[in-house]
Amino acid sequence: MILHKFLKTKFKLQYLYLSIFIISQFFEFKFKKLNTLIKDLKSFEQGKVQNENSLELISRSIKLFSAFNISSCLFKSIVIYKLLKRNGQNPILHIGVKNIGDLEAHAWIEFEGKMLDDDLGYRIFTSIK
């Protein structure tokens, strides 16, 4: 079972909750059109501040992305964006394109002035609005 090692930690419920959230978001991501996903994000309500540390929430999410073998930068960015918004934070979702060479796209989150991007794509992509 993918969650086996995570369910042995003291954060069992947090990993279980995150897993369920990620799976639900995966189905939404697969069955909705991109413009609908973006529109939904714009209307996504900020939640009440929860007790969860935002950096721990991000760290747990990244571990689960790896466990579920999720590599889509757009999917990961959407999930982290929603989690942070639910946690009372104000992340910024960036979707960018390369302005030279072949057409490529990339997505990342800006949070508290830092870019959350394990691929460092924000360095070579121009954010679009």
Side-chain angles (χ1 to χ4, degrees), residues 77 80-81 84 91-94 108-111 114-116:
S77 295
I80 290 175
Y81 176 88
L84 288 172
I92 299 170
L93 172 66
H94 290 275
W108 65 94
I109 296 292
E110 182 178 344
F111 177 61
K114 295 182 180 149
M115 303 301 173
L116 305 181

Side-chain angles (χ1 to χ4, degrees), residues 46-57:
Q46 185 172 13
K48 296 178 181 174
V49 177
Q50 298 174 357
N51 293 332
E52 181 124 30
N53 177 308
S54 294
L55 296 178
E56 286 294 322
L57 187 62

Side-chain angles (χ1 to χ4, degrees), residues 79-91:
V79 169
I80 290 175
Y81 176 88
K82 286 183 173 182
L83 287 169
L84 288 172
K85 286 292 269 189
R86 284 180 143 187
N87 207 36
Q89 302 299 321
N90 289 310

Side-chain angles (χ1 to χ4, degrees), residues 1 3-4 15 17-19 28 31-32 36 40-42 44 50 59-60 66 71 84 92 96 104 111 116-117 128:
M1 177 180 203
L3 292 174
H4 182 69
Y15 278 113
Y17 162 77
L18 274 174
S19 296
E28 185 175 309
F31 295 113
K32 283 190 175 180
T36 305
D40 289 350
L41 287 177
K42 289 181 179 179
F44 196 76
Q50 298 174 357
S59 175
R60 287 189 192 110
S66 179
S71 61
L84 288 172
I92 299 170
E104 292 181 50
F111 177 61
L116 305 181
D117 182 3
I128 57 175

